[in-house]
């Protein structure tokens, strides 16, 4: 009988892990515009001279960000802040999950930037996939989880609210 309950527990736990992954994928599918290009953490373009633009708020960026990312914000975003960036530069925008960054990415495209991609799953997916994040002192495990509601999608790292 104990073995039966152990098997049920393992199956239930496995279903929960799969369910969360499926739920996250479903959430992202509903957020993303099919016409806006995505880039995944494992994509080759990310190993080249790509410029990461962090579209979260400054308090989120200060907790941690992708190495060498430039903060541009969302509510305070201005094209003037990126006027020195060449229009043909490979740019990857990101936020927590990719909703805010997609909107900023669209503004960049409208302004004539040619190679703009949205990071699939944002910084949450980046960290969940084992990629590092940094603060002003170097590598960190801390990640701004935006809110407790959105923080459920961040499975690795130390959540900061």
């Amino acid at each position: 009988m104990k073995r039966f309950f152990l098997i049920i527990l393992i199956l239930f736990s496995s279903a929960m892990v799969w369910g969360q992954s499926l739920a996250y994928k479903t959430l992202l599918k509903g957020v993303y515009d099919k016409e806006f290009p995505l880039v995944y953490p494992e994509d080759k373009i990310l190993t080249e001279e790509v410029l990461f633009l962090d579209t979260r708020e400054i308090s989120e960026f200060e907790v941690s960000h992708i190495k060498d990312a430039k903060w541009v914000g969302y509510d305070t975003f201005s094209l003037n802040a990126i006027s020195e960036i060449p229009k043909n530069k490979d740019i990857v925008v990101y936020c927590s999950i990719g909703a805010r960054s997609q909107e900023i990415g669209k503004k960049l495209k409208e302004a004539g930037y040619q190679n703009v991609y949205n990071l699939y799953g944002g910084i949450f997916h980046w960290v969940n996939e084992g990629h590092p994040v940094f603060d002003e002192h170097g590598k960190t495990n801390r990640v701004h989880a935006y809110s407790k509601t959105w923080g459920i999608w961040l499975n690795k790292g130390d959540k900061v609210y």
Side-chain angles (χ1 to χ4, degrees):
M1 195 62 148
K2 286 182 182 179
R3 210 166 101 180
F4 173 75
F5 285 113
L6 182 60
I7 292 170
I8 294 298
L9 179 63
I10 290 170
L11 289 173
F12 181 72
S13 298
S14 298
M16 285 183 58
V17 170
W18 258 111
Q20 185 177 22
S21 177
L22 182 59
Y24 191 59
K25 289 177 183 177
T26 303
L27 167 73
L28 295 178
K29 189 175 182 180
V31 168
Y32 295 148
D33 179 341
K34 293 175 185 157
E35 302 301 314
F36 199 85
L38 292 169
V39 65
Y40 295 80
E42 66 275 8
D43 286 350
K44 185 180 178 199
I45 190 173
L46 299 182
T47 63
E48 298 169 6
E49 292 283 326
V50 66
L51 174 62
F52 284 99
L53 297 181
D54 191 314
T55 66
R56 299 173 302 155
E57 296 308 316
I58 192 68
S59 59
E60 296 169 88
F61 178 83
E62 288 174 344
V63 169
S64 67
H65 49 271
I66 294 174
K67 188 173 186 175
D68 299 326
K70 177 179 175 56
W71 176 76
V72 295
Y74 180 75
D75 288 332
T76 57
F77 176 75
S78 167
L79 287 169
N80 291 334
I82 59 161
S83 60
E84 78 286 355
I85 299 172
K87 302 272 182 162
N88 63 349
K89 179 77 175 163
D90 288 334
I91 297 171
V92 174
V93 291
Y94 74 92
C95 61
S96 297
I97 67 162
R100 293 177 285 177
S101 53
Q102 178 177 262
E103 295 307 309
I104 298 301
K106 287 178 180 180
K107 289 180 182 182
L108 292 171
K109 288 272 210 185
E110 289 171 7
Y113 289 87
Q114 301 160 15
N115 306 314
V116 182
Y117 308 89
N118 193 11
L119 181 63
Y120 178 84
I123 200 167
F124 289 3
H125 186 65
W126 180 264
V127 170
N128 287 344
E129 291 293 306
H131 297 281
V133 289
F134 298 80
D135 63 15
E136 65 181 330
H137 304 292
K139 191 174 176 184
T140 183
N141 288 325
R142 300 175 69 216
V143 181
H144 198 289
Y146 189 71
S147 71
K148 292 197 178 195
T149 302
W150 288 103
I152 64 170
W153 306 115
L154 182 62
N155 299 321
K156 293 185 179 175
D158 301 326
K159 297 176 189 178
V160 175
Y161 298 99

